[in-house]
Amino acid sequence: MKKAVEVRDLSFSYPGETRKILDHADFTLEYGEFAVLSGISGEGKTTLLGLLNGVIPFLTPGKREGKIFLAGEDCTDRKAGERAFFAGTVLQNADEQIVYEKAADEAAFGCENLNLPPEEIEGRVDASLKLLRIAPDSSTRTLSGGQKQRLITAATLAMGQRILFLDEPLANLDRAGALLLLQTLKDLTKQGCAVLLIEHRLDLVLPFADSVYRLRQGKIERVANVPALLAENRRLLPASQAQTGGGSPLVELAHIRYAPGKTPLLRDISLSVREGERVWLLGENGCGTTTLLRLMARLIRPDGGAYRQSLLPEKGRRPSARWFRAAGYVYQNPSYQLFMPTVRDELAVAAPEDAYAVRMAELFGLSELLDRHPHALSEGQKRRLGIAAVLAGQPRLVFLDEPTVGQDAENLKRIGSALQTLRQETGMATVTVTHDIRCAAALCDRALLLADGVIAAQGKAHQAENYLSGQPLNQ
Amino acid sequence: MLEFFHAKKPLFPPVGFLCSLLALGVGMAYSSHLVLYGYIAALALLFALFGLWRAVLGAGLMMGCFGLLTGVLSCLTAGSFASFFETLGRCLLLGVAAVPMLSLPAADMTRSLRQMKCPGALTLGILVTIRFIPVLVGEVRQIREAMKTRGAGSAWRRPQTIYRAFFIPLTMRILGISDALSLSLETRGFRLKNKDASVFRPVRFGWRDGVFAVGTGILSVLLGVLA
C-alpha cells in the first residue's frame, strides 16, 4: 500500500552554511497515522515541513539532495502549488495569511485554487467552518488570534487533502480550541488521512498521537519512551515561593467596562495586582484577556469604571515614558519592540548601566549574542531578548502577553528561571496571559478566569493547572 | 480598514476599477479648471447614491485636509491663489475618484479577474496590494504603540531613536508578512499559471453597474464639454 509521505536519503543545508539540517534522513508517514514532531527550536522541524510541502527549495533556497514522495508520487521537483493537491499545510501566524474579509471566502480560497466545482466548495466550506466553530459570515478583521488560527486551519481542511502538515497550530488556542482541533485531526486519521504536527505543547498533543518523532543530528528519529517525554514536558519550571499577599496594590480596577464594538467585551471587571504578586489571566479565545492586559498597562482606556495605580504619580490620562519604565509591557511578537543594531544596545536602552545590561544577557542566555543584530536571532532568542529588553528597565510591574508561544522546553526554562530570579531580587509583580500549562507553577500566585466579560473565578497555581487540564478553576 | 469603504451591494469589480481610473484620468486632464469642483461634487453625489456615501465623506474629508495643507504650500511657493485651488482640487479628486476602487471587496476582485481568465500574476499583484494596505495601517498603529512601551514614543530630542524604533520594526514586519503571505498562498494551491481556478461565488454584471458606469461616463463627458 502507498505511504502518505516517504522521505529517502534527504539532506539539506541553507546557503552559506556548512551545517546540514538534514543528513541522509529517512522518514515515512502512513495513512491513518497521527505523528508529532517535537524538539528544541532551531533543530529543523519547520525546515523539514518546508521540504515536504515544497516551500524549500523553491521559495526558500538551499542545497537539497534526496527524494520526497507524497501519496506515492515523486514530488521532489514539484513546487508548493502543485504539491498542494496532495498535502495541505497549516502555517503559524494566521494573522499574516488571511487575505479576505469574510470567513467563508477565506475558507474557500484554497478550494478555488484546486479547481473544485463551486457547489462542492460550498459544502466543504460550511462543514469545515462548522467543525472549527467559525461563523461563515464573520469578519476576519474582528476575529481573535485563536479564532484566526482556527479559520486558517478550517481553510486547509476544506481543501480536502488526505495528507496534512501543521506547524504549531495550537499557538494562541485555548484548551477547548486546541482539543477541538486535535480531535478533528484524530477523526481525520481514523478516516484514513495522515497528519504530521509540529508542536511544543505536548501535554495536549500526545494523548492523540500515534507516534512521536524528533530531529537529532540531521536524522528523524522515532521516540521510544513517550510517557517519559510527556512527564519531562509537563512541568518544566519548578514552583517558586508563592506570594501570600500583603503587598500594597500597584494597580486597581473597579467595575471596569470596555466595549470596542456594540457588545461589551469587558462588562464589570474588578481586580488588583499587589507588589511582588504573579497574576495569571486565563480564558477562552476572544474573551478579552489580552484586552484586559492592555487596559491594565494603560495602552487602552476603559469606557467605564475606575482605574487606580500607585506606581507613579502621573498627571493626565496618557501614560508617560516613565510609566512604561515602571510598568513594562512585553508583546507577544518581539519584532515590534526590537530596533537597536545589537543585542547589547537593545538591552542598554532601558538598563540603568551597561553592567546591568550584561547581567540581563546572562540571565536570559544571551551572553554569546551580544554583538548580533536582534532581528538575526532565532525566534526563541528574540523572544528572550524582547522580555530582557523590557525587564532591563527594572520595572516594578510587568505585563506579559503570551510569552511562551512557540517556545521549546529549553527556552521556556530559561525564561521562567530568569523571571523567578528577577522577582526574588526586585520584588517585581507580573501579570501574564498564556494558555501554557507548563508555566503554571512558575508564573502564578493567583489565576483569574475571564468569562462573559467578568472575572468568573479565581484560584491558585495548582488550580490553574487543573483548569488547563479541563477542570473548573476553583475546584 | 478597507471595510470602511465597502458598500452593502458592491459594484462589479471591473466597473468600479475602470470608473475610478476614468474619473481620475479625466479629472486630472481638466484639473486647472474650476469646473473640476462641480465634477467632484457630482461624482460624490453619484457615488453616494450607490451606497458609498460613508466612503466619499471619509475619503473626501481626509484628502480635503491634505489638499488644504498642500494647497497652502503650493500657493506660497507659486505665489498665486490659482495654484491653491488647483492643488486642493486635485487632492479632492484623488480621494473621491479612488472610492469605487477602494470599495471593492478583495474576494470579489480576485474572482472577477479569475472569471475573466486574467493572468495569475495580475490577480496575485492586486490581491497582495489590497491586502497590504490595511495590514500596513494596522502595523503602523501597533508599532507606534510598541514605541511607547520602549520609551521611544515621544523622544523628540532623540530623532534617531524614533527613526529606528519605527522603521526597523516596520521593515521587519513588512518582510515577515510578505514572506508569510506568499508561503500561505502557495501552500494553499495558488499558481500563477492556473487559469482554470474555480470561483466560489461568481461575480456578475448587473443593471446597477451599467447605470453607475454610464453615470460616471456622462459626468466625465460633461466635464470635457464645460471645461
Side-chain angles (χ1 to χ4, degrees):
Chain A
M1 191 177 157
K2 283 184 203 172
K3 297 188 195 303
V5 177
E6 195 175 351
V7 166
R8 291 182 199 162
D9 200 33
L10 189 66
S11 296
F12 178 78
S13 56
Y14 284 104
E17 286 195 22
T18 50
R19 178 192 156 224
K20 283 190 176 178
I21 305 290
L22 289 169
D23 192 4
H24 300 286
D26 296 307
F27 172 73
T28 56
L29 183 68
E30 305 282 350
Y31 283 109
E33 183 180 354
F34 189 146
V36 174
L37 182 61
S38 187
I40 62 172
S41 298
E43 259 184 345
K45 301 184 296 298
T46 299
T47 301
L48 173 61
L49 208 73
L51 285 160
L52 292 176
N53 66 16
V55 163
I56 300 172
F58 299 103
L59 289 173
T60 304
K63 188 179 171 193
R64 182 201 62 180
E65 290 164 355
K67 290 282 186 188
I68 295 170
F69 294 82
L70 298 177
E73 301 221 6
D74 186 350
C75 290
T76 311
D77 296 322
R78 295 193 199 183
K79 295 181 181 176
E82 294 162 55
R83 293 194 202 188
F85 281 91
F86 300 103
T89 305
V90 179
L91 300 172
Q92 298 181 50
N93 302 322
D95 207 19
E96 295 162 4
Q97 300 169 57
I98 292 172
V99 288
Y100 290 152
E101 293 95 353
K102 292 288 177 199
D105 291 329
E106 189 68 33
F109 179 68
C111 299
E112 292 174 317
N113 294 333
L114 295 185
N115 309 346
L116 297 174
E119 47 290 349
E120 190 180 331
I121 295 177
E122 179 107 42
R124 286 177 181 231
V125 163
D126 283 345
S128 68
L129 289 176
K130 193 175 172 186
L131 203 55
L132 289 170
R133 296 185 195 160
I134 301 284
D137 57 354
S138 15
S139 164
T140 54
R141 191 177 56 86
T142 56
L143 295 176
S144 69
Q147 289 169 329
K148 284 177 183 170
Q149 187 65 45
R150 295 210 306 264
L151 172 59
I152 286 294
T153 308
T156 302
L157 294 182
M159 292 166 75
Q161 300 102 330
R162 287 170 47 77
I163 304 169
L164 290 170
F165 304 130
L166 301 106
D167 192 353
E168 300 197 37
L170 308 187
N172 295 319
L173 289 188
D174 56 31
R175 182 183 167 77
L179 291 177
L180 176 66
L181 174 58
L182 290 169
Q183 188 59 54
T184 303
L185 294 173
K186 189 68 182 174
D187 291 340
L188 286 170
T189 57
K190 285 178 184 166
Q191 292 165 27
C193 294
V195 169
L196 176 63
L197 183 76
I198 295 177
E199 188 49 62
H200 291 296
R201 291 171 68 182
L202 296 181
D203 55 302
L204 285 172
V205 172
L206 289 184
F208 294 87
D210 298 311
S211 51
V212 182
Y213 294 87
R214 264 183 166 166
L215 277 169
R216 276 239 168 95
Q217 293 171 337
K219 302 278 195 251
I220 306 166
E221 296 176 351
R222 186 159 178 161
V223 172
N225 194 348
V226 173
L229 181 67
L230 180 59
E232 177 193 321
N233 222 267
R234 189 168 175 83
R235 182 185 276 227
L236 294 179
L237 304 172
S240 65
Q241 190 175 9
Q243 173 80 10
T244 49
S248 57
L250 298 174
V251 165
E252 289 176 278
L253 277 64
H255 305 294
I256 289 289
R257 188 177 175 278
Y258 181 73
K262 287 181 190 167
T263 315
L265 185 61
L266 305 175
R267 290 193 291 118
D268 185 0
I269 302 286
S270 297
L271 62 91
S272 64
V273 180
R274 296 180 173 273
E275 279 185 25
E277 192 179 23
R278 297 168 304 170
V279 175
W280 194 356
L281 299 179
L282 293 166
E284 291 181 5
N285 291 131
C287 74
T289 45
T290 295
T291 301
L292 179 55
L293 196 78
R294 295 179 67 227
L295 202 144
M296 292 168 75
R298 297 173 70 201
L299 289 169
I300 50 177
R301 282 189 220 140
D303 296 317
Y307 177 99
R308 280 183 291 274
Q309 58 88 8
S310 63
L311 282 163
L312 274 185
E314 288 246 290
K315 290 179 190 173
R317 297 172 74 188
R318 283 193 182 184
S320 61
R322 285 173 57 232
W323 162 260
F324 287 111
R325 268 191 183 268
Y329 190 96
V330 178
Y331 278 76
Q332 182 177 336
N333 188 338
S335 293
Y336 289 114
Q337 293 180 297
L338 302 176
F339 54 84
M340 295 302 280
T342 66
V343 169
R344 187 194 309 271
D345 291 336
E346 200 69 69
L347 294 169
V349 168
E353 54 193 11
D354 286 346
Y356 195 74
V358 171
R359 168 115 206 291
M360 292 303 287
E362 281 165 13
L363 264 179
F364 282 88
L366 300 167
S367 296
E368 290 172 8
L369 306 169
L370 283 171
D371 295 320
R372 293 271 299 272
H373 194 290
H375 287 283
L377 303 179
S378 70
E379 290 306 312
Q381 291 166 342
K382 259 196 238 179
R383 184 164 307 272
R384 296 204 308 271
L385 175 58
I387 299 172
V390 170
L391 297 187
Q394 298 174 318
R396 289 171 62 199
L397 173 59
V398 180
F399 300 99
L400 298 144
D401 188 4
E402 298 275 10
T404 65
V405 165
Q407 298 304 294
D408 58 42
E410 278 307 308
N411 278 324
L412 208 57
K413 278 181 194 167
R414 280 205 185 105
I415 291 171
S417 170
L419 288 173
Q420 284 177 356
T421 303
L422 284 169
R423 179 171 165 265
Q424 281 158 16
E425 288 178 1
T426 66
M428 168 182 89
T430 59
V431 182
T432 308
V433 169
T434 179
H435 301 290
D436 202 328
I437 196 174
R438 300 172 294 173
C439 315
L443 293 182
C444 179
D445 293 319
R446 184 161 57 107
L448 303 175
L449 174 64
L450 191 60
D452 294 324
V454 298
I455 304 291
Q458 296 195 40
K460 302 282 185 194
H462 68 279
Q463 289 168 310
E465 278 190 32
N466 291 340
Y467 169 77
L468 291 172
S469 301
Q471 297 166 38
L473 178 64
N474 45 16
Q475 184 166 314
Chain B
M1 185 203 117
L2 284 182
E3 287 91 355
F4 175 80
F5 294 96
H6 293 174
K8 279 187 184 163
K9 291 183 187 173
L11 292 166
F12 184 60
V15 165
F17 190 77
L18 291 171
C19 285
S20 272
L21 286 182
L22 177 69
L24 189 64
V26 170
M28 283 297 182
Y30 296 101
S31 60
S32 55
H33 299 265
L34 279 177
V35 74
L36 175 72
Y37 285 88
Y39 178 62
I40 293 169
L43 278 179
L45 185 61
L46 175 68
F47 297 166
L49 287 172
F50 278 79
L52 297 170
W53 61 271
R54 264 199 336 171
V56 165
L57 271 175
L61 207 62
M62 193 169 66
M63 291 309 290
C65 292
F66 180 72
L68 279 172
L69 181 63
T70 48
V72 165
L73 290 172
S74 176
C75 176
L76 290 171
T77 50
S80 78
F81 281 115
S83 179
F84 168 80
F85 286 110
E86 281 174 29
T87 305
L88 175 60
R90 283 175 190 141
C91 291
L92 279 171
L93 174 71
L94 191 60
V96 172
V99 164
M101 201 183 308
L102 294 174
S103 73
L104 305 173
D108 285 4
M109 191 69 172
T110 312
R111 285 170 183 151
S112 68
L113 289 171
R114 283 181 163 173
Q115 283 171 229
M116 292 188 295
K117 308 287 183 195
C118 283
L122 182 63
T123 309
L124 179 65
I126 289 177
L127 186 59
V128 171
T129 304
I130 292 176
R131 172 71 184 123
F132 235 82
I133 296 169
V135 163
L136 204 58
V137 169
E139 291 299 308
V140 166
R141 201 178 293 140
Q142 186 83 308
I143 288 166
R144 285 184 60 202
E145 187 185 90
M147 286 168 67
K148 288 184 209 171
T149 66
R150 294 296 314 277
S154 52
W156 302 112
R157 281 176 287 176
R158 292 175 288 143
Q160 199 181 15
T161 302
I162 294 181
Y163 175 82
R164 295 196 77 89
F166 181 76
F167 283 108
I168 303 288
L170 183 66
T171 306
M172 298 313 299
R173 287 294 297 151
I174 287 173
L175 289 173
I177 290 167
S178 62
D179 257 352
L181 191 55
S182 61
L183 287 183
S184 176
L185 292 177
E186 280 249 13
T187 56
R188 287 197 277 167
F190 186 91
R191 287 154 290 143
L192 289 180
K193 292 181 182 169
N194 181 20
K195 290 204 173 169
D196 296 324
S198 47
V199 175
F200 174 40
R201 285 176 183 154
V203 189
R204 295 198 166 87
F205 181 88
W207 65 266
R208 280 178 85 247
D209 305 302
V211 169
F212 187 89
V214 166
T216 307
I218 290 173
L219 288 175
S220 301
V221 166
L222 274 174
L223 174 64
V225 165
L226 293 172

